[in-house]
Amino acid sequence: MFDIHPATPADAGELLTLQRAAFVDEAQAYGDPFILPLTEGLDRIDRLLRDEDVLVLKAVSGARIVGAVRASAAGAHGVIGRLAVAPDQRRRGIARALLSAVEEELRSRRPGLTALTLFTGAQSADQQRLYRERGYGETHRERVADHLVMVHMRKELAPVGAPAEPV
């Protein structure tokens, strides 16, 4: 089992370790050891954890951080990023739970949000499937290098308090 909590600056080192472990297989799939999640430094993670406009959630099992996600918002638009799960903890619902929790918390902080966006690698079929299951649709693809194409996805949000869609 795991619990989800807001991350704090004291978590920066463990979050960096988790992020690097979680994204190694993606770097290998693209043949690029310099993808941003692997080159981002401790100072940047620490700054993000201290930024009141950035939401970072962690999934904790015992004393270990086994997953994390971050998000921010500008106006009516939220951006979700760096969804990471420790490789030995995958397929246990951690990513799905973190995504749900960050969406819920972001919406509670910003009730006027109308859309959430995120991106993932074109070769990351499991991540794309998860995001589609959660209501995200592909908006476009962006070639950021000869070997790397990012899939941008968006989820439209009903206003907070609006009646639910009929089933």
Side-chain angles (χ1 to χ4, degrees), residues 82-128:
R82 294 288 195 283
L83 178 59
V85 175
D88 67 321
Q89 297 295 306
R90 291 181 179 155
R91 306 247 182 258
R92 298 178 187 201
I94 297 169
R96 186 170 272 98
L98 279 166
L99 188 57
S100 294
V102 79
E103 289 177 2
E104 184 179 311
E105 181 62 25
L106 199 55
R107 291 202 73 192
S108 74
R109 291 180 178 202
R110 295 287 193 93
L113 285 180
T114 60
L116 298 171
T117 60
L118 50 77
F119 62 86
T120 189
Q123 294 179 14
S124 302
D126 288 343
Q127 289 90 336
Q128 290 177 51

Side-chain angles (χ1 to χ4, degrees), residues 8-65:
T8 68
D11 298 319
E14 193 171 354
L15 289 173
L16 176 63
T17 301
L18 166 71
Q19 180 173 300
R20 288 186 175 168
F23 283 92
V24 163
D25 53 352
E26 191 162 336
Q28 290 172 335
Y30 294 105
D32 186 353
F34 301 106
I35 62 172
L36 192 55
L38 297 184
T39 61
E40 187 172 48
L42 183 60
D43 290 346
R44 174 158 165 71
I45 292 173
D46 184 64
R47 278 194 311 275
L48 290 170
L49 289 167
R50 295 176 191 283
D51 186 337
E52 291 182 7
D53 293 328
V54 177
L55 170 63
V56 181
L57 298 180
K58 63 183 179 181
V60 179
S61 179
R64 178 181 176 206
I65 297 176

